Amino acid sequence: MLLAFFFSRYLSKPLSDLRLAVEGIARGDFNITVTPVTKDEVGELSRSFNIMAEVLKREERLRRHLISNVVHELRTPLTIAKCNIEAIEDKVISAEEGLENIKCEIDHLVSLVKGIEDRQFAEASFLAGGND
């Protein structure tokens, strides 16, 4: 009976470790890896899990970088438009000149948003096509 207990613990430990790692990934911790103990299906599953965790970590880094770039690209025309409004209020530039500058910045914002929408559409199309 004791031997059966230890044997079952030995067999279930890799699956238990994998379950804990999956829960960590679900919480957003992409630094988790599992040490493959065997060369059977559970070991292959552990190796596949590690590859998945690495891909998720890379994708998360890319997502954060993209968001940082988008925020910067959106903030710049907004700041320029605000400065033009303040310059009009302070009579540093004419209303006509300021409004033309603001219109250019709004066109820039519209272009940026369209680029984001196009990217989202392309991603959605790619993902939908990959499920066929």
Side-chain angles (χ1 to χ4, degrees), residues 75-94 98-99 101-102 105:
R75 183 180 290 132
T76 301
L78 289 170
T79 301
I80 292 170
K82 183 176 185 232
C83 289
N84 275 281
I85 290 170
E86 290 170 356
I88 292 169
E89 289 174 340
D90 294 342
K91 300 190 183 345
V92 174
I93 60 174
S94 69
L99 289 174
N101 291 340
I102 292 169
E105 294 308 319

Side-chain angles (χ1 to χ4, degrees), residues 25-49:
I25 291 285
R27 286 189 309 274
D29 182 0
F30 302 120
N31 293 312
I32 293 177
T33 58
V34 177
T35 304
V37 183
T38 62
K39 294 188 187 282
D40 62 0
E41 290 84 5
V42 175
E44 285 299 316
L45 185 59
S46 297
R47 284 183 275 288
S48 295
F49 174 86

Side-chain angles (χ1 to χ4, degrees), residues 40-129:
D40 62 0
E41 290 84 5
V42 175
E44 285 299 316
L45 185 59
S46 297
R47 284 183 275 288
S48 295
F49 174 86
N50 290 337
I51 291 168
M52 179 197 67
E54 187 59 38
V55 168
L56 288 171
K57 184 176 8 175
R58 185 177 57 236
E59 290 297 320
E60 179 63 14
R61 269 194 314 267
L62 289 171
R63 184 189 69 77
R64 287 176 190 231
H65 183 71
L66 175 65
I67 288 173
S68 174
N69 285 343
V70 167
V71 166
H72 174 74
E73 289 297 323
L74 292 174
R75 183 180 290 132
T76 301
L78 289 170
T79 301
I80 292 170
K82 183 176 185 232
C83 289
N84 275 281
I85 290 170
E86 290 170 356
I88 292 169
E89 289 174 340
D90 294 342
K91 300 190 183 345
V92 174
I93 60 174
S94 69
E96 185 178 303
E97 181 183 359
L99 289 174
E100 184 60 34
N101 291 340
I102 292 169
K103 181 184 176 296
C104 287
E105 294 308 319
I106 289 173
D107 289 343
H108 186 208
L109 284 169
V110 169
S111 173
L112 288 171
V113 170
K114 180 165 179 4
I116 293 169
E117 289 173 336
D118 290 347
R119 184 178 190 279
Q120 288 297 107
F121 178 75
E123 269 185 18
S125 297
F126 176 77
L127 292 175

